[in-house]
Amino acid sequence: MLEPIERQSLSQAVYERLRDGIVSGELGSGTKLPSERQLSEALGVNRGAVREALKRLEQARLVQIRQGGAARILDYQAHAGLDLLSELLFAGGELDLRVARSVVEMRAHLGPEIARRCGERGGTAAADRLDAIVAGMRADPDLDARQAASLEFWDALVDGSGNVAYRLAYNSLRASYDGFRAALVQVLGDELKSVDGFQAVADAVRAGDAEAAAARAAELLARGAQGLSTLFEALETFPGGE
Amino acid sequence: MLEPIERQSLSQAVYERLRDGIVSGELGSGTKLPSERQLSEALGVNRGAVREALKRLEQARLVQIRQGGAARILDYQAHAGLDLLSELLFAGGELDLRVARSVVEMRAHLGPEIARRCGERGGTAAADRLDAIVAGMRADPDLDARQAASLEFWDALVDGSGNVAYRLAYNSLRASYDGFRAALVQVLGDELKSVDGFQAVADAVRAGDAEAAAARAAELLARGAQGLSTLFEALETFPGGE
DNA sequence: TGAGGTCGGGTGGTAAGACCACCTGGCCAC
DNA sequence: GTGGCCAGGTGGTCTTACCACCCGACCTCA
């Protein structure tokens, strides 16, 4: 209600239009895109806007551009990186359950590993930060606040893991999550309410017990996975029924 | 020697220049970028080239652009996605060992999980494909061919895992790897030579034994990790000694 | 007949200039 | 102190033009 009204630039619109065409298979991989001039005329926008969109598609490895020749569409499953995940999740204006399940599975696998490495390398600095966040959770039982704190918690864990790749992968996963934060507060209720679960992870990190940290993190994430799984089943039976 | 000569567009050069400035910390997060007009004048290029570069930086979540106000530089560690990994690995013209170690660690963790899911869901179709690749390995002991076959093998595994997120994450990791393929043929020799290791993974997938597939994959990757680890130590002692 | 060269048309790459939409800050009137 | 106004700067869009490059058709000549 009180969120900022989204405005969209033309190049953004062009980007999304072409991206949706590619990931939906409408523009098959290997086919050639119309020329920039043709696109700009067909879409009724300036050539510059088209170029900006094409550059972004190239960066996402959805197309390949060569001077003097037309842009070729690539097979996104074979080339695109994890940054595309959040866009894939909702491409075409509808939630893709197959992608959503993949995200949850990756979360369930990456999370414990991050906790493990944090337990291994985080030290007391990480433990202090985690404890402070958990203390804040106890102080405020509001679910929205819990969700924010939970994100902080994972942020701290990931920092403590000392692994840049995990950090970036976490960011990519979180970008997928952010689009549905409000919708998932209830679904992840079990996970968010279990302050003891967060505390157990923090304790393991403080003890420097990497395996325990991983195990406790896995237990914590399993609570949310339960809710997500039932949500997905419901969505499968009653599509669109958000 | 016979590789295509790389040409670089202006917008690409602008992108890399700004990206390096950001990830190196030279342009601290929170600071404001000069206006497009100032940048284009300072860099001696057209404003369009600057805009294309800025759009890409925004897509990589390195900057935030708002109409009417200057572009703000974001904290890339807090926002950038896994796609940045390959660029981070070599940003500033030198290999970043901390990033490299992170990549290897993620490989060691993600690989077995991919094998596990492939064993779980790949079925005979995946097993057939894997077996064919391993057969090809036996037929050609050349290391370069082995490396190509090894990539095909993982490609097939990842397809069999039925997880889009893993697929995209694998693509991101592979993009980091591709820049050093030639340099790593020797370093990964142990891994590439162990056809039996690949075969063991393929066998586990055929048997539908997910845990065995994960275990065999972990063993296989450990061989390469050994070589990589000693390489990194050497590079740490003699920097730049490629 | 086939190898090689020439050339025109189309493509992406770059440039310069202009105007619009929007934000910011300072000023002013109330 | 509030609200409105206004000017200057910013990103967003458009137009036009030219350059560098690639491709295919065509031609030439051994």
Side-chain angles (χ1 to χ4, degrees):
Chain A
M1 177 57 206
L2 289 175
E3 278 136 31
I5 295 176
E6 286 192 22
R7 263 181 300 275
Q8 199 181 34
S9 74
L10 278 183
S11 70
Q12 174 72 15
V14 174
Y15 170 77
E16 291 181 9
R17 179 82 67 92
L18 292 175
R19 181 202 64 194
D20 287 346
I22 293 173
V23 302
S24 73
E26 196 178 332
L27 299 169
S29 82
T31 64
K32 291 181 179 176
L33 223 49
S35 76
E36 293 178 355
R37 290 170 178 85
Q38 286 174 358
L39 277 175
S40 70
E41 191 173 358
L43 299 172
V45 301
N46 183 275
R47 194 179 152 207
V50 172
R51 278 184 61 82
E52 287 170 15
L54 286 177
K55 286 287 181 187
R56 292 182 54 193
L57 289 171
E58 185 181 33
Q59 166 150 323
R61 275 169 270 157
L62 294 178
V63 305
Q64 192 175 37
I65 303 176
R66 269 185 333 139
Q67 181 173 175
R72 273 218 337 272
I73 296 176
L74 298 175
D75 175 5
Y76 77 94
Q77 295 237 35
H79 295 92
L82 197 61
D83 280 6
L84 194 68
L85 192 62
S86 60
E87 309 188 32
L88 227 45
L89 196 56
F90 216 57
E94 197 170 344
L95 181 69
D96 188 329
L97 280 178
R98 187 169 144 265
V99 177
R101 288 204 167 92
S102 296
V103 175
V104 174
E105 187 167 281
M106 186 164 181
R107 176 185 104 116
H109 185 249
L110 188 60
E113 164 76 357
I114 287 173
R116 175 182 294 116
R117 297 305 176 180
C118 185
E120 195 177 306
R121 303 192 272 250
T124 54
D128 288 345
R129 195 169 152 202
L130 293 175
D131 276 339
I133 296 167
V134 175
M137 284 182 174
R138 292 195 196 284
D140 189 350
D142 176 61
L143 260 194
D144 285 324
R146 279 288 171 80
Q147 190 179 38
S150 146
L151 286 172
E152 272 183 66
F153 187 88
W154 281 104
D155 230 51
L157 266 183
V158 145
D159 279 344
S161 78
N163 183 308
V164 189
Y166 291 163
R167 172 84 240 179
L168 299 178
Y170 165 80
N171 288 343
S172 290
L173 285 182
R174 179 170 168 173
S176 313
Y177 177 68
D178 278 340
F180 303 91
R181 269 182 78 158
L184 292 179
V185 171
Q186 297 299 332
V187 178
L188 292 177
D190 270 1
E191 180 175 322
L192 297 175
K193 282 177 197 157
S194 82
V195 182
D196 291 342
F198 287 97
Q199 185 67 65
V201 176
D203 289 346
V205 168
R206 183 168 298 282
D209 187 343
E211 287 315 314
R216 297 297 89 73
E219 289 164 14
L220 179 63
L221 291 172
R223 291 173 179 267
Q226 184 66 33
L228 289 167
S229 166
T230 59
L231 169 67
F232 293 157
E233 277 167 34
L235 284 176
E236 206 152 42
T237 340
F238 310 104
E242 299 232 349
Chain B
M1 178 59 208
L2 289 176
E3 278 137 29
I5 295 175
E6 285 191 23
R7 262 181 302 274
Q8 200 181 33
S9 75
L10 278 182
S11 70
Q12 174 73 15
V14 174
Y15 170 78
E16 291 181 9
R17 179 83 66 93
L18 293 175
R19 181 202 63 193
D20 287 346
I22 293 173
V23 301
S24 73
E26 195 178 332
L27 299 169
S29 83
T31 63
K32 291 182 179 176
L33 224 48
S35 76
E36 294 177 354
R37 290 170 178 85
Q38 287 172 359
L39 276 176
S40 70
E41 191 173 358
L43 298 172
V45 301
N46 184 275
R47 194 177 152 209
V50 172
R51 279 184 59 82
E52 286 169 15
L54 286 176
K55 286 286 180 186
R56 292 182 54 192
L57 289 171
E58 185 181 34
Q59 165 149 321
R61 274 168 270 158
L62 295 177
V63 306
Q64 192 176 36
I65 304 175
R66 270 184 334 139
Q67 181 172 177
R72 273 217 337 272
I73 296 176
L74 299 175
D75 175 5
Y76 77 93
Q77 295 237 37
H79 295 92
L82 197 61
D83 281 6
L84 194 66
L85 192 62
S86 60
E87 309 187 33
L88 228 44
L89 195 56
F90 216 57
E94 196 169 344
L95 182 69
D96 187 329
L97 279 179
R98 185 168 146 268
V99 177
R101 287 203 168 93
S102 296
V103 175
V104 174
E105 187 168 280
M106 185 163 181
R107 177 186 103 116
H109 186 250
L110 188 61
E113 164 75 357
I114 287 172
R116 176 181 294 114
R117 299 305 175 180
C118 185
E120 195 177 306
R121 304 191 273 250
T124 53
D128 288 345
R129 195 169 152 200
L130 293 173
D131 275 340
I133 296 167
V134 175
M137 283 183 175
R138 292 195 196 282
D140 190 349
D142 176 62
L143 260 192
D144 285 325
R146 280 286 171 79
Q147 190 178 38
S150 146
L151 287 172
E152 272 183 66
F153 188 88
W154 282 104
D155 230 52
L157 266 183
V158 132
D159 279 343
S161 78
N163 183 309
V164 189
Y166 290 163
R167 172 83 241 179
L168 298 178
Y170 166 80
N171 288 343
S172 290
L173 285 182
R174 179 170 168 172
S176 313
Y177 176 68
D178 278 339
F180 302 90
R181 268 183 78 159
L184 292 179
V185 171
Q186 297 298 331
V187 178
L188 292 176
D190 271 2
E191 179 176 322
L192 298 174
K193 282 176 195 157
S194 82
V195 183
D196 291 342
F198 287 97
Q199 185 68 64
V201 177
D203 289 346
V205 168
R206 182 170 298 282
D209 188 342
E211 287 315 316
R216 296 299 89 74
E219 289 164 15
L220 180 62
L221 292 171
R223 291 172 180 267
Q226 184 65 33
L228 289 165
S229 165
T230 59
L231 169 67
F232 294 158
E233 277 167 33
L235 284 175
E236 207 151 41
T237 340
F238 309 104
E242 297 232 348

